[in-house]
Amino acid sequence: MSQTATKEALTFEDFKKEVLNDYKIARISRECSLLGRREVLTGKAKFGIFGDGKEVPQLAMAKAFQNGDFRSGYYRDQTFMMAIGALNIQQFFAGLYGHPDIDADPMSGGRQMGGHFATHSLDENGNWKNLTQQKNSSSDISPTAGQMPRLLGLAQASKVYREIPQADKKQLFSVNGNEVAWGTIGNASTSEGLFFETINAAGVLQVPMVMSVWDDMYGISVHARYQTTKESISEILKGFQKEEDTNGYEIFTVKGWDYPSLVDTYAKASQIAREQHIPVLIHVQELTQPQGHSTSGSHERYKSPERLQWETDFDCIVKLREWMIATNVATVEELDQIDADTKKEVLEGKKAAWEAYLNPIKQEREEYINLLNSIASGSANKAYIEQQIADLKSIKEPIRKDILSGARKILRKIIGETGQQTLGVFIEDYFRKIQPKFSSNTYSESSSSYKNVPQIAAAYQDDSQMVDARLILRDNFDAIFNKHPEVLIFGEDSGHIGDVNQGLEGLQEKFGATRVADAGIREATILGQGIGMAMRGLRPIAEIQYLDYLLYALQIMSDDLATVQYRTHGRQKAPLIVRTRGHRLEGIWHSGSPMGMIVNAVRGIHVLVPRNMTKAAGFYNTLLQTDEPALVIECLNGYRLKEKMPSNLGTFTTPIGEVETIREGNDITVLSYGSTLRIVEQAAAELAEIGIEVEIIDAQSLLPFDLNNDTVKSLQKTNRLLVIDEDVPGGASAYLLQQVVEKQGGYRYLDSDPQTLAAKEHRPAYGTDGDYFSKPSAEDVFEKIYAIMHEANPNKFPGLYQ
Ligand SMILES: Cc1ncc(C[n+]2csc(CCOP(=O)(O)OP(=O)(O)O)c2C)c(N)n1
Ligand SMILES: [Mg+2]
């Protein structure tokens, strides 16, 4: 053989090996899907949604996927995860069973149903790993297209790092911005607004994003003709095609069963996105769903016999196999051997996963039964307990609920017996041990938690000036940008004019249009930009112009941002700061204060409501020292009020989770926050004139609220509580009441009804009278407090309206 021929032969051998390996991964993945479905149908797992029918394009995507890259995808991507080495058979089944251990189920530690994938960006202490040396997947969420906004940010991070390499201080996140963010989405889910919003934004931003649409013509039972105009997403997105002198996309279409074309297309897409930062859309057509959508239904109900036959014929693995035989990559015998081997391998992996899941529980059951036996022997309820033991023993595959629910029932029966204490201790210990498996990591548990941020008060000099409060924010942001190269801010009108209230005035000129940037009117993807960039080590501040428009972003805050740490068991984080401004100003959509809705939707995110701009600036300074996401709501009517300019800009902090007493008094405690405080202060001054001394507490941090229990200490002195805000009745005021009366035990100190004063139930009307008749006024506050005092001491405070 000549040298060239040897080389060619070698290359063919290498190629063959690679394809055979791909085939093997596809087969493993398929076997997992088939066996996974059976595990659900036999009751071992609760629900299954699998990647069968989508294996081959994912192999192609994995080939183009490099270290440092990120995936943001959905539940069909098991083959991809296997191909990049992030998911093995045992882990796949651990996820399906819900094994609540992050080492067994690295995707979520049993918290998410199977099919929701992730890699670990953080080590077990919450410190960043070097993401440039591993293949990364952001953690999936179930709401369809919810992965899209985050994808935009993951892609944008590369662009930012290419331009500002010093933002990657420890070189953990990027090598010259060469990383591609790979999105996957089902054809039907492209109907969601989030998909279109993301597509447009990425076209504007020109970021290295490759969006794959897995098209199987269906979204559960609903055919493409009800989903997509012209039944083709690539067809209708043609206007996004980049032309010579325009921005835009490269758009490819490819058949999902055509292995060589797929490999080719993905290689091209990767290069275009990686090198030129041009987004790419790959419409992968003619995919199938061999087992239907999920374990909850069967596709024979809605697919025609012809369609079902076509799906059998065009199954991507069948086609890959045909191609391998036709091109002499493998013989039928070789492939049959692989099929047989993988079947065995998957079966073994499944068994190992089941045992690893079940054995600890069985062990716990055994220990519990031993304890019960000893309790039974001295119990008047011996027969009952023994029956319980027999019942529990008869369960072939016990779960922890079986143990606990039985134990708690027995406890009620044996009150007063010697075994009561033993069993009580067992139950409490068991909860202490097991509960964290299901409840840890709602907030950061790392050393960068807000709890560890040192407090620094705002400092003033003799000649410190009273200034328009917006200047404090502006100059503090200036200090922040100087101090932290990884910080960037973006939002509607945030760049060129420096935000609608000029809190960023002049900063774009100083720090550049990447760090202080205008964004399109698209709140959900502004939020997503922030999530994705924060997941890649930047410290984004996403600006939502007005609190009233946060609703567009609230879904993604709630579903994605708030759950990042929880759903990854602390192995991913997105320390994004969301900046907005709200509370009373003018009319229905510029006076909103829907704080109850927000605090109930975003547990996992800090919700901070500073009463002035110094407090707000202090919150930003605190947050940049933590690794947690937060929402900061500035007072819309406070930018032009005067505040004293601190001298330690960028340094002073406002504590998270602490209240501040801003007026002392003995008669009643008024708890409030934000813009309402100024009205409360005015009323308090008027009440002082008639001998009622109000203690005013600024909540300032709604999530978390008053961790030192300072409010209840105030109640111990005043014995009266009124919570005032401008949310709807029963909104955040009800939340605060629950915190003080129930959580802090405030009811014990009350001599009067605890009450709330909120805005009207409707949205605030326009104009000064609209405000007066919609939101609490100083007179409302005065009279509400007066009425409480009247009830307590009618002689001293005769009724106002008789
Ligand atoms: C926002 C939202 N609405 C509805 C659902 C329920 N749901 C889950 S998957 C799905 C169909 C998705 O179809 P497609 O995007 O084509 O993906 P495929 O499953 O076909 O791969 C629906 C309606 C959901 N998860 N999220
Ligand atoms: Mg589909």
Side-chain angles (χ1 to χ4, degrees):
M1 252 195 280
S2 75
Q3 269 213 332
T4 347
T6 322
K7 211 166 161 195
E8 261 169 26
L10 269 182
T11 333
F12 185 71
E13 278 311 305
D14 289 346
F15 167 73
K16 205 171 135 170
K17 221 164 106 188
E18 198 176 319
V19 179
L20 278 168
N21 189 47
D22 274 352
Y23 179 79
K24 186 172 175 203
I25 295 169
R27 285 294 341 159
I28 286 177
S29 175
R30 178 63 62 90
E31 279 305 321
C32 283
S33 300
L34 298 175
L35 209 52
R37 186 178 175 87
R38 261 203 277 153
E39 292 300 277
V40 175
L41 300 186
T42 57
K44 276 189 175 158
K46 275 202 114 171
F47 177 75
I49 188 152
F50 305 113
D52 46 315
K54 318 268 186 314
E55 291 91 348
V56 174
Q58 293 179 27
L59 296 170
M61 178 166 132
K63 279 187 200 303
F65 199 91
Q66 296 184 8
N67 279 350
D69 285 5
F70 255 92
R71 164 189 171 276
S72 182
Y74 81 117
Y75 50 78
R76 298 286 180 217
D77 293 345
Q78 68 195 48
T79 315
F80 171 81
M81 295 302 288
M82 289 172 174
I84 63 165
L87 179 69
N88 65 30
I89 299 168
Q90 189 168 334
Q91 291 165 341
F92 173 90
F93 284 98
L96 191 65
Y97 300 139
H99 192 154
D101 180 340
I102 192 70
D103 294 324
D105 167 25
M107 301 299 118
S108 78
R111 288 178 181 182
Q112 296 223 65
M113 53 174 62
H116 291 65
F117 306 108
T119 53
H120 296 185
S121 302
L122 307 174
D123 65 21
E124 58 277 18
N125 301 316
N127 299 315
W128 287 113
K129 297 164 76 178
N130 189 330
L131 304 190
T132 66
Q133 289 172 11
Q134 62 179 37
K135 299 191 162 77
N136 304 286
S137 171
S138 61
S139 159
D140 295 356
I141 61 176
S142 293
T144 57
Q147 71 274 32
M148 293 290 107
R150 170 186 354 120
L151 172 66
L152 181 66
L154 291 169
Q156 195 188 0
S158 293
K159 187 149 185 117
V160 172
Y161 282 128
R162 190 172 282 182
E163 194 184 315
I164 310 168
Q166 63 274 23
D168 191 2
K169 281 192 247 174
K170 295 185 186 159
Q171 303 188 337
L172 297 174
F173 304 106
S174 181
V175 180
N176 187 36
N178 289 341
E179 303 77 21
V180 172
W182 303 80
T184 69
I185 187 166
N187 59 299
S189 300
T190 65
S191 308
E192 293 280 7
L194 291 179
F195 172 80
F196 284 97
E197 192 175 312
T198 304
I199 286 283
N200 177 56
V204 170
L205 289 170
Q206 292 291 283
V207 289
M209 177 181 106
V210 178
M211 175 87 81
S212 294
V213 179
W214 304 148
D215 190 348
D216 57 15
M217 286 305 263
Y218 284 86
I220 311 185
S221 66
V222 181
H223 189 267
R225 67 180 154 272
Y226 303 111
Q227 300 281 5
T228 308
T229 307
K230 300 185 181 183
E231 297 183 25
S232 168
I233 195 67
S234 52
E235 195 57 33
I236 57 171
L237 290 182
K238 272 186 175 159
F240 283 85
Q241 175 66 51
K242 182 177 161 55
E243 286 157 20
E244 207 156 301
D245 297 319
T246 71
N247 58 15
Y249 276 73
E250 279 309 331
I251 300 178
F252 297 116
T253 58
V254 58
K255 309 282 186 225
W257 44 263
D258 183 352
Y259 177 80
S261 299
L262 283 162
V263 172
D264 213 40
T265 304
Y266 275 88
K268 260 192 233 151
S270 168
Q271 194 181 9
I272 293 167
R274 204 177 297 283
E275 289 172 9
Q276 303 174 63
H277 285 186
I278 294 169
V280 182
L281 176 90
I282 307 180
H283 183 189
V284 183
Q285 299 164 319
E286 299 193 9
L287 287 167
T288 69
Q289 255 178 37
Q291 303 188 105
H293 175 78
S294 73
T295 51
S296 302
S298 78
H299 58 159
E300 288 80 7
R301 277 192 302 160
Y302 50 82
K303 286 178 188 163
S304 66
E306 295 74 33
R307 170 76 196 184
L308 289 168
Q309 185 58 50
W310 179 86
E311 291 206 9
T312 308
D313 298 341
F314 281 77
D315 183 308
C316 61
I317 300 184
V318 170
K319 286 288 194 190
L320 171 61
R321 200 182 148 98
E322 284 170 12
W323 174 82
M324 287 169 80
I325 294 164
T327 52
N328 295 324
V329 168
T331 61
V332 173
E333 293 70 33
E334 279 175 297
L335 294 175
D336 285 348
Q337 189 59 49
I338 293 178
D339 290 4
D341 290 348
T342 50
K343 230 186 183 86
K344 216 169 123 231
E345 213 178 304
V346 170
L347 207 58
E348 279 162 10
K350 185 213 80 161
K351 269 196 198 133
W354 181 247
E355 273 161 27
Y357 164 74
L358 199 62
N359 285 347
I361 304 178
K362 282 187 165 163
Q363 179 71 32
E364 289 158 23
R365 174 174 67 173
E366 210 171 299
E367 285 163 20
Y368 167 60
I369 287 176
N370 287 343
L371 185 83
L372 275 191
N373 276 323
S374 71
I375 292 172
S377 61
S379 173
N381 293 284
K382 191 166 181 229
Y384 175 77
I385 298 173
E386 280 175 349
Q387 186 56 50
Q388 288 281 327
I389 293 172
D391 289 349
L392 187 58
K393 272 187 175 164
S394 73
I395 301 174
K396 216 173 118 219
E397 283 146 2
I399 57 173
R400 294 188 165 101
K401 181 183 169 192
D402 298 324
I403 296 173
L404 268 176
S405 100
R408 295 165 89 182
K409 286 199 177 93
I410 294 170
L411 186 70
R412 295 169 207 161
K413 292 263 184 196
I414 59 170
I415 293 175
E417 294 186 5
T418 48
Q420 182 192 353
Q421 202 203 352
T422 322
L423 187 58
V425 168
F426 167 82
I427 293 169
E428 284 170 344
D429 280 350
Y430 198 57
F431 264 114
R432 216 167 289 130
K433 188 173 128 197
I434 304 301
Q435 189 71 50
K437 290 181 184 294
F438 298 94
S439 297
S440 70
N441 298 99
T442 303
Y443 296 94
S444 169
E445 295 175 10
S446 82
S447 58
S448 305
S449 156
Y450 68 91
K451 291 175 188 155
N452 301 326
V453 176
Q455 295 306 318
I456 297 172
Y460 300 98
Q461 312 295 327
D462 290 345
D463 59 349
S464 289
Q465 300 285 310
M466 293 298 285
V467 297
D468 279 359
R470 64 145 186 121
L471 295 175
I472 294 172
L473 274 177
R474 183 196 65 183
D475 293 356
N476 192 69
F477 278 125
D478 193 331
I480 283 174
F481 281 116
N482 274 316
K483 199 167 161 181
H484 303 279
E486 69 279 20
V487 170
L488 66 165
I489 190 163
F490 44 90
E492 294 149 21
D493 302 290
S494 307
H496 187 60
I497 65 165
D499 91 41
V500 279
N501 296 93
Q502 296 200 289
L504 300 167
E505 183 196 13
L507 297 186
Q508 186 181 66
E509 274 166 46
K510 214 166 157 180
F511 297 102
T514 297
R515 297 188 66 195
V516 184
D518 283 316
I521 307 179
R522 43 174 184 75
E523 288 75 12
T525 46
I526 287 175
L527 222 290
Q529 277 174 266
I531 297 173
M533 288 199 278
M535 283 183 156
R536 290 190 59 196
L538 292 163
R539 290 307 309 259
I541 303 175
E543 185 165 319
I544 300 296
Q545 197 159 65
Y546 298 106
L547 178 58
D548 302 75
Y549 307 127
L550 187 76
L551 263 76
Y552 279 62
L554 191 61
Q555 177 266 326
I556 219 66
M557 282 178 71
S558 181
D559 284 327
D560 194 353
L561 183 61
T563 64
V564 170
Q565 302 223 28
Y566 177 76
R567 72 184 198 260
T568 61
H569 223 287
R571 298 308 166 97
Q572 288 187 11
K573 65 179 175 183
L576 164 64
I577 298 172
V578 183
R579 175 192 187 211
T580 188
R581 46 190 74 81
H583 313 312
R584 73 175 72 201
L585 190 75
E586 203 57 81
I588 295 181
W589 285 284
H590 296 85
S591 299
S593 193
M595 300 312 305
M597 172 171 68
I598 293 168
V599 296
N600 288 324
V602 303
R603 303 294 160 108
I605 298 177
H606 298 316
V607 177
L608 309 171
V609 281
R611 68 179 178 276
N612 61 36
M613 301 309 155
T614 307
K615 291 279 163 189
F619 275 136
Y620 295 120
N621 296 336
T622 302
L623 287 166
L624 288 168
Q625 297 176 64
T626 76
D627 62 357
E628 292 164 284
L631 169 67
V632 181
I633 296 160
E634 297 164 11
C635 295
L636 197 38
N637 60 7
Y639 294 106
R640 306 221 169 248
L641 301 177
K642 300 289 181 198
E643 290 179 41
K644 206 186 243 187
M645 177 69 86
S647 53
N648 52 346
L649 293 164
T651 306
F652 67 89
T653 59
T654 307
I656 292 172
E658 284 183 27
V659 299
E660 185 179 347
T661 303
I662 56 174
R663 181 186 176 108
E664 292 192 6
N666 288 320
D667 294 321
I668 184 166
T669 300
V670 172
L671 175 62
S672 188
Y673 59 88
S675 297
T676 311
L677 278 169
R678 276 192 294 283
I679 291 179
V680 173
E681 283 183 294
Q682 189 190 328
E686 292 165 11
L687 285 157
E689 289 169 16
I690 58 161
I692 296 173
E693 290 302 333
V694 179
E695 180 137 304
I696 305 176
I697 295 181
D698 178 4
Q700 44 182 7
S701 168
L702 296 180
L703 285 181
F705 170 72
D706 191 11
L707 297 169
N708 300 327
N709 292 339
D710 285 334
T711 313
V712 81
K713 286 172 204 149
S714 170
L715 288 195
Q716 288 166 13
K717 176 173 70 171
T718 65
N719 312 111
R720 282 176 246 288
L721 173 66
L722 174 63
V723 182
I724 306 181
D725 74 359
E726 46 178 290
D727 194 358
V728 293
S733 60
Y735 159 76
L736 287 171
L737 206 61
Q738 179 266 340
Q739 292 283 303
V740 178
V741 173
E742 184 185 291
K743 189 168 171 220
Q744 299 191 355
Y747 69 93
R748 277 175 285 176
Y749 307 104
L750 291 175
D751 291 338
S752 298
D753 267 0
Q755 295 198 34
T756 63
L757 174 63
K760 296 287 183 293
E761 208 164 31
H762 54 76
R763 301 276 183 118
Y766 172 70
T768 306
D769 274 351
D771 176 81
Y772 195 79
F773 284 92
S774 303
K775 298 264 188 180
S777 65
E779 289 73 40
D780 292 336
V781 174
F782 181 102
E783 290 179 5
K784 184 86 175 176
I785 294 171
Y786 188 87
I788 294 171
M789 297 311 294
H790 161 70
E791 195 219 30
N793 191 346
N795 289 333
K796 192 164 174 201
F797 305 110
L800 274 179
Y801 301 95
Q802 313 215 328

